[in-house]
């Protein structure tokens, strides 16, 4: 692998150094079972669009899917009934954009891209992010669906904040893609943890925690209890482990163990899952609890792969 190569358009020499196998590209992977999203992303790259376009379009599929109660429209609200979204995106040049605590705009991933491309900043929050969205032509809409309102009303009977492990096997969507030019991009979008405190922001929009991409090395994304990912800067850690020569699989395993082995870690009570992709198109995934999975679209095959986990029983 070409450790430390951080370029955008790779020369043939660089391609040789990193064993880039164009026969197996493009590749897209995503957290959980999201075949419609990976299909959209892969077809976008087949259409000679960039990995960045693939990430945006792939993530948008889940943001628009009202049945998914952890992303975009239909996401479960905070404890006061507000649906607030977090998202970030990173391109192969190392640029990134992020929105946090965003209300009323469904496609948080697209707004994160606008922050990256059309502002001098990396992160916009709350009302500022929302107003920027309207100025860019995004539409205001109520993100709380009847189904999510019903779930919130039910939750209010006990009001017990207890993040659910592996919510409906389809959670925050984190996605990584490498296009046929060998350029890597990534994105992450979520409505965060259900019934969180108003204003809470998780790992998903935080570059280095929920997502990190280094075009010379690879990328990683996280899902699960964001507070625990932030404490170990999980995605950056995985990319740095790959830089040191670890495979994506091994890097994900080491990053999960970093959480598990923390003093007084109560890892048995929460889930964190990572997926990673390196410059060769090799992939990996690992989680604390059973039940996590990754979807991979490569060589015309769109498959959901069950993740190994630290806890096996
Ligand atoms: C968060 N990591 O807000 C996200 C949400 C998630 O399982 O992945 N939930 O902490």
């Amino acid at each position: 692998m070409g450790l430390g190569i951080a370029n955008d358009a790779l020369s043939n020499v660089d391609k040789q150094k990193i064993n880039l196998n164009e026969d197996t590209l493009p590749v897209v992977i995503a957290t959980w079972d999201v075949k419609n999203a990976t299909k959209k992303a892969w077809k976008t790259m087949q259409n000679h669009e960039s990995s960045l376009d693939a990430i945006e379009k792939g993530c948008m599929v889940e943001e628009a899917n009202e049945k998914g109660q952890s992303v975009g429209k239909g996401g479960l609200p905070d404890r006061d009934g507000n649906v607030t979204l977090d998202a970030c995106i990173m391109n192969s040049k190392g640029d990134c954009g992020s929105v946090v605590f965003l209300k009323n705009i469904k496609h948080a991933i697209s707004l994160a891209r606008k922050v990256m491309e059309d502002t001098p900043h990396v992160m916009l929050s709350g009302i500022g992010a929302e107003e920027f969205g309207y100025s860019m032509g995004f539409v205001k809409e109520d993100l709380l669906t009847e189904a999510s309102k019903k779930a919130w009303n039910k939750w209010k009977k006990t009001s017990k904040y207890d993040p659910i492990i592996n919510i409906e096997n389809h959670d925050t969507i984190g996605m990584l893609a490498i296009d046929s030019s060998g350029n890597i991009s990534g994105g992450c979008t979520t409505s965060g943890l259900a019934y969180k405190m108003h204003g809470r922001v998780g790992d998903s929009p935080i570059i280095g925690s929920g997502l990190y991409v280094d075009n010379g090395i690879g990328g990683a994304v996280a899902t699960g209890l964001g507070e625990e990912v932030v404490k170990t800067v999980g995605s950056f850690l995985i990319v740095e482990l790959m830089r040191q020569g670890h495979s994506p699989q091994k890097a994900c395993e080491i990053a999960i163990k970093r959480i598990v082995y923390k003093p007084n870690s109560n890892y048995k009570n929460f889930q964190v899952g990572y997926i990673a992709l390196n410059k060769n198109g090799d992939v990996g995934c690992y989680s604390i609890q059973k039940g996590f999975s990754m979807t991979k679209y490569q060589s015309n095959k769109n498959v959901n792969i069950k993740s190994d986990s630290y806890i096996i029983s």
Side-chain angles (χ1 to χ4, degrees):
M1 200 160 70
L3 303 181
I5 303 168
N7 52 359
D8 184 30
L10 291 166
S11 68
N12 286 333
V13 174
D14 285 337
K15 284 179 184 175
Q16 276 174 0
K17 273 194 219 156
I18 59 172
N19 299 322
L20 191 61
N21 183 352
E22 282 162 349
D23 295 341
T24 62
L25 302 184
V27 184
V28 56
I29 56 172
T31 53
W32 307 101
D33 191 355
V34 287
K35 291 200 200 75
N36 289 337
T38 47
K39 183 174 172 189
K40 181 73 186 176
W42 198 76
K43 299 243 175 241
T44 301
M45 291 188 287
Q46 283 294 91
N47 209 20
H48 306 293
E49 292 177 64
S50 66
S51 55
L52 184 68
D53 291 332
I55 291 293
E56 182 184 1
K57 290 182 183 176
C59 289
M60 284 173 75
V61 169
E62 289 306 317
E63 289 176 335
N65 174 11
E66 293 183 23
K67 289 196 182 131
Q69 288 188 303
S70 56
V71 182
K73 184 152 182 160
L76 289 170
D78 65 19
R79 57 190 59 182
D80 303 315
N82 308 285
V83 179
T84 66
L85 307 182
D86 295 335
C88 70
I89 197 161
M90 199 160 179
N91 69 14
S92 57
K93 295 176 187 149
D95 298 324
C96 47
S98 159
V99 288
V100 309
F101 188 49
L102 172 71
K103 294 180 185 167
N104 301 319
I105 291 177
K106 174 168 68 188
H107 288 305
I109 194 77
S110 303
L111 191 53
R113 182 171 177 176
K114 290 281 182 213
V115 172
M116 174 173 80
E117 292 179 342
D118 293 336
T119 78
H121 306 304
V122 161
M123 186 181 281
L124 289 181
S125 70
I127 190 72
E130 197 179 334
E131 282 170 357
F132 171 64
Y134 301 143
S135 77
M136 299 304 287
F138 285 72
V139 175
K140 179 170 186 165
E141 58 186 301
D142 186 359
L143 303 180
L144 187 64
T145 56
E146 276 311 310
S148 290
K149 197 170 174 183
K150 208 168 147 194
W152 173 55
N153 282 328
K154 193 169 162 208
W155 174 81
K156 279 196 290 184
K157 291 185 183 146
T158 56
S159 296
K160 188 165 178 268
Y161 178 65
D162 201 3
I164 305 161
I165 290 170
N166 297 338
I167 179 168
E168 59 182 61
N169 278 341
H170 167 188
D171 219 311
T172 293
I173 175 164
M175 186 180 271
L176 298 163
I178 175 165
D179 58 32
S180 26
S181 306
N183 288 322
I184 305 173
S185 302
C188 193
T189 180
T190 187
S191 53
L193 295 178
Y195 318 127
K196 60 195 174 185
M197 287 174 70
H198 188 56
R200 180 265 187 192
V201 171
D203 60 312
S204 304
I206 299 179
I207 298 297
S209 291
L211 166 74
Y212 196 70
V213 171
D214 180 325
N215 198 44
I217 304 296
V221 279
T223 182
L225 186 61
E227 281 74 4
E228 296 301 323
V229 175
V230 170
K231 287 174 198 170
T232 51
V233 199
S235 294
F236 184 72
L237 173 62
I238 291 170
V239 172
E240 292 309 299
L241 287 163
M242 292 194 289
R243 191 190 305 277
Q244 290 164 21
H246 292 289
S247 67
Q249 181 62 35
K250 188 74 189 165
C252 289
E253 291 173 16
I254 296 171
I256 287 292
K257 286 176 190 161
R258 187 70 64 91
I259 296 172
V260 167
Y261 297 162
K262 275 176 61 191
N264 305 320
S265 174
N266 70 342
Y267 66 91
K268 290 187 181 151
N269 297 322
F270 61 83
Q271 174 68 303
V272 170
Y274 289 120
I275 65 171
L277 166 80
N278 72 11
K279 196 69 184 169
N280 303 334
D282 305 323
V283 302
C285 61
Y286 200 63
S287 58
I288 298 177
Q289 315 279 343
K290 286 198 307 187
F292 179 50
S293 68
M294 165 176 80
T295 306
K296 178 173 84 157
Y297 204 138
Q298 183 176 27
S299 306
N300 266 317
K301 287 197 201 86
N302 195 12
V303 288
N304 184 247
I305 300 163
K306 213 172 133 200
S307 173
D308 285 336
S309 55
Y310 182 80
I311 298 175
I312 50 178
S313 55

